[in-house]
Amino acid sequence: MPRASEIAKHLNVDLTGEDLTINEARSVGTACAGSVVFLGKKVPEAIARLNAVRDLLCVTTAELAQDLICPTVIHRSPRYAFCLVLQKFFSPEVKPGIHETACVAPDAVIGENVSIGPGCVVGSKAKIGSGTQIHSNVVVADGAVIGRECVIKSNTTIGEEGFGFARDENGRPVHFPHLGGVRLGDRVVIGANSTVVRAA
C-alpha cells in the first residue's frame, strides 16, 4: 500500500501533514482512517466528516485545504488528480497476453502489449492497436479496427452486422446487408454488454 508521500510524488505536488500509509480509496461519504479521498467543492458536511476522521489523506484545492485538519495534497483539479491516484495505486494490473481460451484469427493484427481475455473471438483481418485491453467474452468481428490504448469491457461485440431491412413489393421485410466497417480511434472505452455495429 502506498504512503501519502508516494501519492504526492506521483501527482508532482507536496504533502501537507503526516505521511500516512494509505490502504484504500473511498468517497467522502464513506471516508475512514487510512483512506484517500478527494474534495472538490466546499460542502460543510463533507469537511466536518473528514475532520472527524482525521487520519486520512484528502486530495483537494488550496482553498479547501484551509478548512481541513487531515493530511492533504493540493491540486487545482482534485477529481482529475484522484483519477490518477486510482489508476496508479488502486486499479488491478492487467497483464498483456492472449488468454488460452480466446480464439484469434491467424491473419488478425495484434499490437504490442495487448491483453485479450478469456472467451474472446477476434476475426479475420481485425486489427487491435498496442496497449489495448479486451476483457472477457468480447467479439471483434472480421475486419474491425480498434485503436491504441482502448478498453473494451466484457460481453461486447464490435463490428458485427447491424439490424436493417428493406421491403419487397408485397411489404415483406428483406434483410439489408451491412457491408461497411467499424473503426475505433485511440483511447476509446466501450462499456460492458455493448454492441458497435458496422455501417450499411
Side-chain angles (χ1 to χ4, degrees), residues 64-103:
L64 294 174
Q66 297 176 15
D67 296 323
L68 297 171
I69 59 176
C70 62
T72 58
V73 291
I74 307 303
H75 198 281
R76 61 183 179 182
S77 179
R79 179 181 171 85
Y80 167 67
F82 191 68
C83 177
L84 297 180
V85 171
L86 294 178
Q87 289 180 349
K88 173 67 174 179
F89 298 104
F90 298 101
S91 295
E93 181 182 3
V94 178
K95 295 182 179 180
I98 299 174
H99 193 272
E100 60 183 7
T101 62
C103 180

PDB file of all heavy atoms in Angstrom, residues 64-103:
ATOM      1  N   LEU A  64      -9.740  24.883  -0.173  1.00  0.00           N
ATOM      2  CA  LEU A  64     -10.472  23.960   0.690  1.00  0.00           C
ATOM      3  C   LEU A  64      -9.575  23.358   1.764  1.00  0.00           C
ATOM      4  O   LEU A  64     -10.045  23.022   2.856  1.00  0.00           O
ATOM      5  CB  LEU A  64     -11.105  22.854  -0.152  1.00  0.00           C
ATOM      6  CG  LEU A  64     -12.198  23.297  -1.126  1.00  0.00           C
ATOM      7  CD1 LEU A  64     -12.650  22.130  -1.995  1.00  0.00           C
ATOM      8  CD2 LEU A  64     -13.381  23.886  -0.365  1.00  0.00           C
ATOM      9  N   ALA A  65      -8.290  23.222   1.475  1.00  0.00           N
ATOM     10  CA  ALA A  65      -7.366  22.633   2.448  1.00  0.00           C
ATOM     11  C   ALA A  65      -7.281  23.462   3.723  1.00  0.00           C
ATOM     12  O   ALA A  65      -6.967  22.928   4.798  1.00  0.00           O
ATOM     13  CB  ALA A  65      -5.985  22.489   1.823  1.00  0.00           C
ATOM     14  N   GLN A  66      -7.577  24.744   3.637  1.00  0.00           N
ATOM     15  CA  GLN A  66      -7.516  25.609   4.814  1.00  0.00           C
ATOM     16  C   GLN A  66      -8.529  25.201   5.879  1.00  0.00           C
ATOM     17  O   GLN A  66      -8.350  25.504   7.059  1.00  0.00           O
ATOM     18  CB  GLN A  66      -7.747  27.061   4.399  1.00  0.00           C
ATOM     19  CG  GLN A  66      -6.677  27.605   3.469  1.00  0.00           C
ATOM     20  CD  GLN A  66      -6.979  29.015   2.986  1.00  0.00           C
ATOM     21  OE1 GLN A  66      -7.844  29.700   3.546  1.00  0.00           O
ATOM     22  NE2 GLN A  66      -6.279  29.463   1.962  1.00  0.00           N
ATOM     23  N   ASP A  67      -9.593  24.515   5.464  1.00  0.00           N
ATOM     24  CA  ASP A  67     -10.634  24.102   6.410  1.00  0.00           C
ATOM     25  C   ASP A  67     -10.425  22.688   6.942  1.00  0.00           C
ATOM     26  O   ASP A  67     -11.227  22.209   7.753  1.00  0.00           O
ATOM     27  CB  ASP A  67     -12.009  24.170   5.735  1.00  0.00           C
ATOM     28  CG  ASP A  67     -12.390  25.585   5.334  1.00  0.00           C
ATOM     29  OD1 ASP A  67     -12.062  26.515   6.092  1.00  0.00           O
ATOM     30  OD2 ASP A  67     -13.005  25.750   4.263  1.00  0.00           O
ATOM     31  N   LEU A  68      -9.373  22.009   6.491  1.00  0.00           N
ATOM     32  CA  LEU A  68      -9.160  20.609   6.855  1.00  0.00           C
ATOM     33  C   LEU A  68      -8.015  20.461   7.844  1.00  0.00           C
ATOM     34  O   LEU A  68      -7.027  21.198   7.791  1.00  0.00           O
ATOM     35  CB  LEU A  68      -8.863  19.779   5.599  1.00  0.00           C
ATOM     36  CG  LEU A  68      -9.977  19.712   4.554  1.00  0.00           C
ATOM     37  CD1 LEU A  68      -9.473  19.042   3.284  1.00  0.00           C
ATOM     38  CD2 LEU A  68     -11.187  18.963   5.108  1.00  0.00           C
ATOM     39  N   ILE A  69      -8.138  19.472   8.727  1.00  0.00           N
ATOM     40  CA  ILE A  69      -7.057  19.182   9.668  1.00  0.00           C
ATOM     41  C   ILE A  69      -6.367  17.855   9.336  1.00  0.00           C
ATOM     42  O   ILE A  69      -5.386  17.500   9.975  1.00  0.00           O
ATOM     43  CB  ILE A  69      -7.573  19.157  11.123  1.00  0.00           C
ATOM     44  CG1 ILE A  69      -8.678  18.109  11.294  1.00  0.00           C
ATOM     45  CG2 ILE A  69      -8.063  20.533  11.540  1.00  0.00           C
ATOM     46  CD1 ILE A  69      -9.170  17.977  12.726  1.00  0.00           C
ATOM     47  N   CYS A  70      -6.869  17.136   8.344  1.00  0.00           N
ATOM     48  CA  CYS A  70      -6.232  15.891   7.913  1.00  0.00           C
ATOM     49  C   CYS A  70      -5.089  16.211   6.950  1.00  0.00           C
ATOM     50  O   CYS A  70      -5.013  17.317   6.407  1.00  0.00           O
ATOM     51  CB  CYS A  70      -7.256  14.984   7.235  1.00  0.00           C
ATOM     52  SG  CYS A  70      -7.975  15.690   5.731  1.00  0.00           S
ATOM     53  N   PRO A  71      -4.189  15.271   6.709  1.00  0.00           N
ATOM     54  CA  PRO A  71      -3.154  15.473   5.688  1.00  0.00           C
ATOM     55  C   PRO A  71      -3.779  15.734   4.320  1.00  0.00           C
ATOM     56  O   PRO A  71      -4.826  15.165   3.984  1.00  0.00           O
ATOM     57  CB  PRO A  71      -2.380  14.153   5.703  1.00  0.00           C
ATOM     58  CG  PRO A  71      -2.601  13.598   7.069  1.00  0.00           C
ATOM     59  CD  PRO A  71      -3.997  13.994   7.430  1.00  0.00           C
ATOM     60  N   THR A  72      -3.127  16.582   3.543  1.00  0.00           N
ATOM     61  CA  THR A  72      -3.669  16.944   2.235  1.00  0.00           C
ATOM     62  C   THR A  72      -2.573  16.975   1.181  1.00  0.00           C
ATOM     63  O   THR A  72      -1.395  17.175   1.481  1.00  0.00           O
ATOM     64  CB  THR A  72      -4.338  18.336   2.262  1.00  0.00           C
ATOM     65  OG1 THR A  72      -3.379  19.313   2.694  1.00  0.00           O
ATOM     66  CG2 THR A  72      -5.543  18.357   3.182  1.00  0.00           C
ATOM     67  N   VAL A  73      -2.988  16.762  -0.063  1.00  0.00           N
ATOM     68  CA  VAL A  73      -2.169  17.097  -1.219  1.00  0.00           C
ATOM     69  C   VAL A  73      -3.003  18.058  -2.061  1.00  0.00           C
ATOM     70  O   VAL A  73      -4.196  17.838  -2.270  1.00  0.00           O
ATOM     71  CB  VAL A  73      -1.734  15.857  -2.031  1.00  0.00           C
ATOM     72  CG1 VAL A  73      -0.742  15.028  -1.258  1.00  0.00           C
ATOM     73  CG2 VAL A  73      -2.919  15.012  -2.439  1.00  0.00           C
ATOM     74  N   ILE A  74      -2.366  19.118  -2.496  1.00  0.00           N
ATOM     75  CA  ILE A  74      -3.070  20.206  -3.169  1.00  0.00           C
ATOM     76  C   ILE A  74      -2.952  20.037  -4.673  1.00  0.00           C
ATOM     77  O   ILE A  74      -1.860  19.848  -5.210  1.00  0.00           O
ATOM     78  CB  ILE A  74      -2.487  21.576  -2.763  1.00  0.00           C
ATOM     79  CG1 ILE A  74      -2.456  21.704  -1.236  1.00  0.00           C
ATOM     80  CG2 ILE A  74      -3.286  22.701  -3.403  1.00  0.00           C
ATOM     81  CD1 ILE A  74      -3.798  21.537  -0.576  1.00  0.00           C
ATOM     82  N   HIS A  75      -4.094  20.117  -5.333  1.00  0.00           N
ATOM     83  CA  HIS A  75      -4.115  20.037  -6.791  1.00  0.00           C
ATOM     84  C   HIS A  75      -5.240  20.928  -7.296  1.00  0.00           C
ATOM     85  O   HIS A  75      -6.307  20.990  -6.686  1.00  0.00           O
ATOM     86  CB  HIS A  75      -4.335  18.594  -7.252  1.00  0.00           C
ATOM     87  CG  HIS A  75      -3.952  18.340  -8.671  1.00  0.00           C
ATOM     88  ND1 HIS A  75      -4.760  18.701  -9.728  1.00  0.00           N
ATOM     89  CD2 HIS A  75      -2.847  17.765  -9.216  1.00  0.00           C
ATOM     90  CE1 HIS A  75      -4.169  18.347 -10.863  1.00  0.00           C
ATOM     91  NE2 HIS A  75      -3.008  17.783 -10.584  1.00  0.00           N
ATOM     92  N   ARG A  76      -5.011  21.603  -8.409  1.00  0.00           N
ATOM     93  CA  ARG A  76      -6.036  22.525  -8.916  1.00  0.00           C
ATOM     94  C   ARG A  76      -7.261  21.789  -9.447  1.00  0.00           C
ATOM     95  O   ARG A  76      -8.331  22.378  -9.583  1.00  0.00           O
ATOM     96  CB  ARG A  76      -5.452  23.419 -10.006  1.00  0.00           C
ATOM     97  CG  ARG A  76      -4.942  22.678 -11.229  1.00  0.00           C
ATOM     98  CD  ARG A  76      -4.313  23.640 -12.214  1.00  0.00           C
ATOM     99  NE  ARG A  76      -3.801  22.958 -13.398  1.00  0.00           N
ATOM    100  CZ  ARG A  76      -3.174  23.565 -14.386  1.00  0.00           C
ATOM    101  NH1 ARG A  76      -2.982  24.881 -14.333  1.00  0.00           N
ATOM    102  NH2 ARG A  76      -2.734  22.879 -15.420  1.00  0.00           N
ATOM    103  N   SER A  77      -7.101  20.500  -9.760  1.00  0.00           N
ATOM    104  CA  SER A  77      -8.226  19.689 -10.228  1.00  0.00           C
ATOM    105  C   SER A  77      -8.271  18.399  -9.413  1.00  0.00           C
ATOM    106  O   SER A  77      -7.762  17.369  -9.847  1.00  0.00           O
ATOM    107  CB  SER A  77      -8.092  19.385 -11.721  1.00  0.00           C
ATOM    108  OG  SER A  77      -9.167  18.581 -12.166  1.00  0.00           O
ATOM    109  N   PRO A  78      -8.883  18.425  -8.229  1.00  0.00           N
ATOM    110  CA  PRO A  78      -8.848  17.257  -7.342  1.00  0.00           C
ATOM    111  C   PRO A  78      -9.450  15.992  -7.954  1.00  0.00           C
ATOM    112  O   PRO A  78      -8.932  14.896  -7.734  1.00  0.00           O
ATOM    113  CB  PRO A  78      -9.656  17.721  -6.121  1.00  0.00           C
ATOM    114  CG  PRO A  78      -9.545  19.202  -6.127  1.00  0.00           C
ATOM    115  CD  PRO A  78      -9.517  19.588  -7.574  1.00  0.00           C
ATOM    116  N   ARG A  79     -10.524  16.134  -8.707  1.00  0.00           N
ATOM    117  CA  ARG A  79     -11.146  14.947  -9.299  1.00  0.00           C
ATOM    118  C   ARG A  79     -10.196  14.265 -10.285  1.00  0.00           C
ATOM    119  O   ARG A  79     -10.047  13.037 -10.287  1.00  0.00           O
ATOM    120  CB  ARG A  79     -12.450  15.342  -9.997  1.00  0.00           C
ATOM    121  CG  ARG A  79     -13.174  14.176 -10.666  1.00  0.00           C
ATOM    122  CD  ARG A  79     -14.449  14.661 -11.350  1.00  0.00           C
ATOM    123  NE  ARG A  79     -15.045  13.626 -12.167  1.00  0.00           N
ATOM    124  CZ  ARG A  79     -15.871  12.690 -11.732  1.00  0.00           C
ATOM    125  NH1 ARG A  79     -16.212  12.668 -10.454  1.00  0.00           N
ATOM    126  NH2 ARG A  79     -16.365  11.784 -12.548  1.00  0.00           N
ATOM    127  N   TYR A  80      -9.549  15.068 -11.130  1.00  0.00           N
ATOM    128  CA  TYR A  80      -8.582  14.522 -12.082  1.00  0.00           C
ATOM    129  C   TYR A  80      -7.406  13.883 -11.349  1.00  0.00           C
ATOM    130  O   TYR A  80      -6.965  12.776 -11.694  1.00  0.00           O
ATOM    131  CB  TYR A  80      -8.095  15.629 -13.009  1.00  0.00           C
ATOM    132  CG  TYR A  80      -6.889  15.260 -13.831  1.00  0.00           C
ATOM    133  CD1 TYR A  80      -6.966  14.282 -14.815  1.00  0.00           C
ATOM    134  CD2 TYR A  80      -5.659  15.890 -13.614  1.00  0.00           C
ATOM    135  CE1 TYR A  80      -5.848  13.930 -15.563  1.00  0.00           C
ATOM    136  CE2 TYR A  80      -4.547  15.545 -14.359  1.00  0.00           C
ATOM    137  CZ  TYR A  80      -4.644  14.567 -15.327  1.00  0.00           C
ATOM    138  OH  TYR A  80      -3.539  14.219 -16.060  1.00  0.00           O
ATOM    139  N   ALA A  81      -6.898  14.561 -10.329  1.00  0.00           N
ATOM    140  CA  ALA A  81      -5.774  14.021  -9.568  1.00  0.00           C
ATOM    141  C   ALA A  81      -6.151  12.707  -8.896  1.00  0.00           C
ATOM    142  O   ALA A  81      -5.363  11.754  -8.870  1.00  0.00           O
ATOM    143  CB  ALA A  81      -5.317  15.038  -8.525  1.00  0.00           C
ATOM    144  N   PHE A  82      -7.360  12.637  -8.363  1.00  0.00           N
ATOM    145  CA  PHE A  82      -7.831  11.410  -7.717  1.00  0.00           C
ATOM    146  C   PHE A  82      -7.920  10.273  -8.732  1.00  0.00           C
ATOM    147  O   PHE A  82      -7.594   9.122  -8.423  1.00  0.00           O
ATOM    148  CB  PHE A  82      -9.192  11.673  -7.077  1.00  0.00           C
ATOM    149  CG  PHE A  82      -9.667  10.582  -6.159  1.00  0.00           C
ATOM    150  CD1 PHE A  82      -9.023  10.327  -4.960  1.00  0.00           C
ATOM    151  CD2 PHE A  82     -10.777   9.822  -6.483  1.00  0.00           C
ATOM    152  CE1 PHE A  82      -9.466   9.333  -4.093  1.00  0.00           C
ATOM    153  CE2 PHE A  82     -11.228   8.826  -5.635  1.00  0.00           C
ATOM    154  CZ  PHE A  82     -10.574   8.575  -4.437  1.00  0.00           C
ATOM    155  N   CYS A  83      -8.327  10.599  -9.948  1.00  0.00           N
ATOM    156  CA  CYS A  83      -8.358   9.610 -11.025  1.00  0.00           C
ATOM    157  C   CYS A  83      -6.967   9.035 -11.264  1.00  0.00           C
ATOM    158  O   CYS A  83      -6.797   7.815 -11.409  1.00  0.00           O
ATOM    159  CB  CYS A  83      -8.910  10.257 -12.291  1.00  0.00           C
ATOM    160  SG  CYS A  83      -8.925   9.184 -13.737  1.00  0.00           S
ATOM    161  N   LEU A  84      -5.952   9.893 -11.282  1.00  0.00           N
ATOM    162  CA  LEU A  84      -4.576   9.431 -11.467  1.00  0.00           C
ATOM    163  C   LEU A  84      -4.135   8.529 -10.320  1.00  0.00           C
ATOM    164  O   LEU A  84      -3.423   7.539 -10.527  1.00  0.00           O
ATOM    165  CB  LEU A  84      -3.632  10.625 -11.589  1.00  0.00           C
ATOM    166  CG  LEU A  84      -3.846  11.561 -12.783  1.00  0.00           C
ATOM    167  CD1 LEU A  84      -2.824  12.691 -12.750  1.00  0.00           C
ATOM    168  CD2 LEU A  84      -3.751  10.796 -14.101  1.00  0.00           C
ATOM    169  N   VAL A  85      -4.565   8.868  -9.116  1.00  0.00           N
ATOM    170  CA  VAL A  85      -4.234   8.049  -7.942  1.00  0.00           C
ATOM    171  C   VAL A  85      -4.882   6.672  -8.053  1.00  0.00           C
ATOM    172  O   VAL A  85      -4.248   5.641  -7.791  1.00  0.00           O
ATOM    173  CB  VAL A  85      -4.686   8.762  -6.652  1.00  0.00           C
ATOM    174  CG1 VAL A  85      -4.542   7.836  -5.440  1.00  0.00           C
ATOM    175  CG2 VAL A  85      -3.872  10.031  -6.436  1.00  0.00           C
ATOM    176  N   LEU A  86      -6.143   6.639  -8.457  1.00  0.00           N
ATOM    177  CA  LEU A  86      -6.834   5.358  -8.615  1.00  0.00           C
ATOM    178  C   LEU A  86      -6.143   4.494  -9.660  1.00  0.00           C
ATOM    179  O   LEU A  86      -5.956   3.287  -9.465  1.00  0.00           O
ATOM    180  CB  LEU A  86      -8.291   5.597  -9.017  1.00  0.00           C
ATOM    181  CG  LEU A  86      -9.194   6.278  -7.990  1.00  0.00           C
ATOM    182  CD1 LEU A  86     -10.589   6.473  -8.574  1.00  0.00           C
ATOM    183  CD2 LEU A  86      -9.264   5.484  -6.700  1.00  0.00           C
ATOM    184  N   GLN A  87      -5.775   5.096 -10.782  1.00  0.00           N
ATOM    185  CA  GLN A  87      -5.126   4.336 -11.849  1.00  0.00           C
ATOM    186  C   GLN A  87      -3.791   3.760 -11.398  1.00  0.00           C
ATOM    187  O   GLN A  87      -3.467   2.608 -11.697  1.00  0.00           O
ATOM    188  CB  GLN A  87      -4.920   5.233 -13.071  1.00  0.00           C
ATOM    189  CG  GLN A  87      -6.191   5.588 -13.814  1.00  0.00           C
ATOM    190  CD  GLN A  87      -5.915   6.475 -15.016  1.00  0.00           C
ATOM    191  OE1 GLN A  87      -4.812   6.992 -15.192  1.00  0.00           O
ATOM    192  NE2 GLN A  87      -6.914   6.657 -15.855  1.00  0.00           N
ATOM    193  N   LYS A  88      -3.026   4.553 -10.686  1.00  0.00           N
ATOM    194  CA  LYS A  88      -1.677   4.151 -10.308  1.00  0.00           C
ATOM    195  C   LYS A  88      -1.653   3.141  -9.165  1.00  0.00           C
ATOM    196  O   LYS A  88      -0.911   2.147  -9.203  1.00  0.00           O
ATOM    197  CB  LYS A  88      -0.868   5.394  -9.921  1.00  0.00           C
ATOM    198  CG  LYS A  88       0.510   5.120  -9.346  1.00  0.00           C
ATOM    199  CD  LYS A  88       1.453   4.507 -10.364  1.00  0.00           C
ATOM    200  CE  LYS A  88       2.858   4.377  -9.790  1.00  0.00           C
ATOM    201  NZ  LYS A  88       3.788   3.749 -10.761  1.00  0.00           N
ATOM    202  N   PHE A  89      -2.464   3.371  -8.140  1.00  0.00           N
ATOM    203  CA  PHE A  89      -2.305   2.622  -6.900  1.00  0.00           C
ATOM    204  C   PHE A  89      -3.432   1.640  -6.579  1.00  0.00           C
ATOM    205  O   PHE A  89      -3.239   0.733  -5.774  1.00  0.00           O
ATOM    206  CB  PHE A  89      -2.151   3.595  -5.723  1.00  0.00           C
ATOM    207  CG  PHE A  89      -0.946   4.480  -5.814  1.00  0.00           C
ATOM    208  CD1 PHE A  89      -1.072   5.813  -6.171  1.00  0.00           C
ATOM    209  CD2 PHE A  89       0.322   3.979  -5.560  1.00  0.00           C
ATOM    210  CE1 PHE A  89       0.041   6.643  -6.248  1.00  0.00           C
ATOM    211  CE2 PHE A  89       1.443   4.795  -5.643  1.00  0.00           C
ATOM    212  CZ  PHE A  89       1.301   6.130  -5.991  1.00  0.00           C
ATOM    213  N   PHE A  90      -4.597   1.809  -7.177  1.00  0.00           N
ATOM    214  CA  PHE A  90      -5.741   1.020  -6.721  1.00  0.00           C
ATOM    215  C   PHE A  90      -6.484   0.275  -7.832  1.00  0.00           C
ATOM    216  O   PHE A  90      -7.510  -0.339  -7.573  1.00  0.00           O
ATOM    217  CB  PHE A  90      -6.723   1.922  -5.955  1.00  0.00           C
ATOM    218  CG  PHE A  90      -6.119   2.523  -4.721  1.00  0.00           C
ATOM    219  CD1 PHE A  90      -5.680   3.837  -4.721  1.00  0.00           C
ATOM    220  CD2 PHE A  90      -5.951   1.771  -3.573  1.00  0.00           C
ATOM    221  CE1 PHE A  90      -5.107   4.398  -3.588  1.00  0.00           C
ATOM    222  CE2 PHE A  90      -5.376   2.316  -2.440  1.00  0.00           C
ATOM    223  CZ  PHE A  90      -4.949   3.635  -2.443  1.00  0.00           C
ATOM    224  N   SER A  91      -6.002   0.327  -9.053  1.00  0.00           N
ATOM    225  CA  SER A  91      -6.632  -0.411 -10.144  1.00  0.00           C
ATOM    226  C   SER A  91      -5.906  -1.737 -10.336  1.00  0.00           C
ATOM    227  O   SER A  91      -4.679  -1.800 -10.218  1.00  0.00           O
ATOM    228  CB  SER A  91      -6.581   0.397 -11.444  1.00  0.00           C
ATOM    229  OG  SER A  91      -7.352   1.576 -11.324  1.00  0.00           O
ATOM    230  N   PRO A  92      -6.648  -2.811 -10.626  1.00  0.00           N
ATOM    231  CA  PRO A  92      -5.986  -4.107 -10.835  1.00  0.00           C
ATOM    232  C   PRO A  92      -5.059  -4.059 -12.043  1.00  0.00           C
ATOM    233  O   PRO A  92      -5.379  -3.442 -13.061  1.00  0.00           O
ATOM    234  CB  PRO A  92      -7.155  -5.071 -11.070  1.00  0.00           C
ATOM    235  CG  PRO A  92      -8.296  -4.203 -11.489  1.00  0.00           C
ATOM    236  CD  PRO A  92      -8.102  -2.891 -10.796  1.00  0.00           C
ATOM    237  N   GLU A  93      -3.930  -4.707 -11.912  1.00  0.00           N
ATOM    238  CA  GLU A  93      -2.964  -4.747 -13.009  1.00  0.00           C
ATOM    239  C   GLU A  93      -3.450  -5.703 -14.094  1.00  0.00           C
ATOM    240  O   GLU A  93      -3.863  -6.825 -13.807  1.00  0.00           O
ATOM    241  CB  GLU A  93      -1.604  -5.206 -12.496  1.00  0.00           C
ATOM    242  CG  GLU A  93      -0.527  -5.247 -13.560  1.00  0.00           C
ATOM    243  CD  GLU A  93       0.803  -5.749 -13.032  1.00  0.00           C
ATOM    244  OE1 GLU A  93       0.867  -6.111 -11.840  1.00  0.00           O
ATOM    245  OE2 GLU A  93       1.771  -5.785 -13.813  1.00  0.00           O
ATOM    246  N   VAL A  94      -3.424  -5.241 -15.317  1.00  0.00           N
ATOM    247  CA  VAL A  94      -3.812  -6.074 -16.455  1.00  0.00           C
ATOM    248  C   VAL A  94      -2.546  -6.420 -17.230  1.00  0.00           C
ATOM    249  O   VAL A  94      -1.885  -5.541 -17.786  1.00  0.00           O
ATOM    250  CB  VAL A  94      -4.822  -5.352 -17.368  1.00  0.00           C
ATOM    251  CG1 VAL A  94      -5.173  -6.230 -18.567  1.00  0.00           C
ATOM    252  CG2 VAL A  94      -6.076  -4.986 -16.585  1.00  0.00           C
ATOM    253  N   LYS A  95      -2.218  -7.696 -17.254  1.00  0.00           N
ATOM    254  CA  LYS A  95      -1.002  -8.123 -17.935  1.00  0.00           C
ATOM    255  C   LYS A  95      -1.292  -8.403 -19.407  1.00  0.00           C
ATOM    256  O   LYS A  95      -2.330  -8.969 -19.744  1.00  0.00           O
ATOM    257  CB  LYS A  95      -0.439  -9.367 -17.265  1.00  0.00           C
ATOM    258  CG  LYS A  95       0.021  -9.129 -15.831  1.00  0.00           C
ATOM    259  CD  LYS A  95       0.613 -10.389 -15.226  1.00  0.00           C
ATOM    260  CE  LYS A  95       1.093 -10.128 -13.802  1.00  0.00           C
ATOM    261  NZ  LYS A  95       1.670 -11.349 -13.185  1.00  0.00           N
ATOM    262  N   PRO A  96      -0.384  -8.003 -20.289  1.00  0.00           N
ATOM    263  CA  PRO A  96      -0.588  -8.284 -21.717  1.00  0.00           C
ATOM    264  C   PRO A  96      -0.513  -9.774 -22.003  1.00  0.00           C
ATOM    265  O   PRO A  96       0.141 -10.534 -21.292  1.00  0.00           O
ATOM    266  CB  PRO A  96       0.560  -7.520 -22.390  1.00  0.00           C
ATOM    267  CG  PRO A  96       1.590  -7.340 -21.334  1.00  0.00           C
ATOM    268  CD  PRO A  96       0.857  -7.252 -20.038  1.00  0.00           C
ATOM    269  N   GLY A  97      -1.207 -10.166 -23.054  1.00  0.00           N
ATOM    270  CA  GLY A  97      -1.197 -11.568 -23.454  1.00  0.00           C
ATOM    271  C   GLY A  97      -2.566 -11.991 -23.951  1.00  0.00           C
ATOM    272  O   GLY A  97      -3.561 -11.280 -23.778  1.00  0.00           O
ATOM    273  N   ILE A  98      -2.617 -13.138 -24.576  1.00  0.00           N
ATOM    274  CA  ILE A  98      -3.857 -13.689 -25.120  1.00  0.00           C
ATOM    275  C   ILE A  98      -4.239 -14.905 -24.290  1.00  0.00           C
ATOM    276  O   ILE A  98      -3.460 -15.855 -24.169  1.00  0.00           O
ATOM    277  CB  ILE A  98      -3.687 -14.080 -26.598  1.00  0.00           C
ATOM    278  CG1 ILE A  98      -3.316 -12.840 -27.424  1.00  0.00           C
ATOM    279  CG2 ILE A  98      -4.966 -14.718 -27.140  1.00  0.00           C
ATOM    280  CD1 ILE A  98      -2.977 -13.144 -28.870  1.00  0.00           C
ATOM    281  N   HIS A  99      -5.424 -14.868 -23.696  1.00  0.00           N
ATOM    282  CA  HIS A  99      -5.866 -15.973 -22.851  1.00  0.00           C
ATOM    283  C   HIS A  99      -5.989 -17.255 -23.675  1.00  0.00           C
ATOM    284  O   HIS A  99      -6.341 -17.228 -24.862  1.00  0.00           O
ATOM    285  CB  HIS A  99      -7.210 -15.628 -22.204  1.00  0.00           C
ATOM    286  CG  HIS A  99      -7.586 -16.546 -21.091  1.00  0.00           C
ATOM    287  ND1 HIS A  99      -8.282 -17.719 -21.296  1.00  0.00           N
ATOM    288  CD2 HIS A  99      -7.348 -16.476 -19.758  1.00  0.00           C
ATOM    289  CE1 HIS A  99      -8.471 -18.324 -20.136  1.00  0.00           C
ATOM    290  NE2 HIS A  99      -7.914 -17.590 -19.181  1.00  0.00           N
ATOM    291  N   GLU A 100      -5.727 -18.366 -23.026  1.00  0.00           N
ATOM    292  CA  GLU A 100      -5.720 -19.652 -23.736  1.00  0.00           C
ATOM    293  C   GLU A 100      -7.078 -20.030 -24.319  1.00  0.00           C
ATOM    294  O   GLU A 100      -7.157 -20.828 -25.256  1.00  0.00           O
ATOM    295  CB  GLU A 100      -5.248 -20.759 -22.793  1.00  0.00           C
ATOM    296  CG  GLU A 100      -6.122 -20.943 -21.568  1.00  0.00           C
ATOM    297  CD  GLU A 100      -5.588 -22.000 -20.615  1.00  0.00           C
ATOM    298  OE1 GLU A 100      -4.469 -22.488 -20.836  1.00  0.00           O
ATOM    299  OE2 GLU A 100      -6.304 -22.330 -19.654  1.00  0.00           O
ATOM    300  N   THR A 101      -8.163 -19.453 -23.786  1.00  0.00           N
ATOM    301  CA  THR A 101      -9.489 -19.780 -24.318  1.00  0.00           C
ATOM    302  C   THR A 101      -9.950 -18.806 -25.399  1.00  0.00           C
ATOM    303  O   THR A 101     -11.035 -18.975 -25.953  1.00  0.00           O
ATOM    304  CB  THR A 101     -10.536 -19.804 -23.190  1.00  0.00           C
ATOM    305  OG1 THR A 101     -10.622 -18.491 -22.598  1.00  0.00           O
ATOM    306  CG2 THR A 101     -10.164 -20.823 -22.116  1.00  0.00           C
ATOM    307  N   ALA A 102      -9.154 -17.779 -25.679  1.00  0.00           N
ATOM    308  CA  ALA A 102      -9.512 -16.833 -26.740  1.00  0.00           C
ATOM    309  C   ALA A 102      -9.228 -17.454 -28.102  1.00  0.00           C
ATOM    310  O   ALA A 102      -8.320 -18.276 -28.254  1.00  0.00           O
ATOM    311  CB  ALA A 102      -8.732 -15.533 -26.578  1.00  0.00           C
ATOM    312  N   CYS A 103     -10.006 -17.035 -29.090  1.00  0.00           N
ATOM    313  CA  CYS A 103      -9.835 -17.527 -30.464  1.00  0.00           C
ATOM    314  C   CYS A 103      -9.491 -16.337 -31.354  1.00  0.00           C
ATOM    315  O   CYS A 103     -10.339 -15.465 -31.578  1.00  0.00           O
ATOM    316  CB  CYS A 103     -11.116 -18.210 -30.931  1.00  0.00           C
ATOM    317  SG  CYS A 103     -11.022 -18.866 -32.610  1.00  0.00           S
TER     318      CYS A 103
END
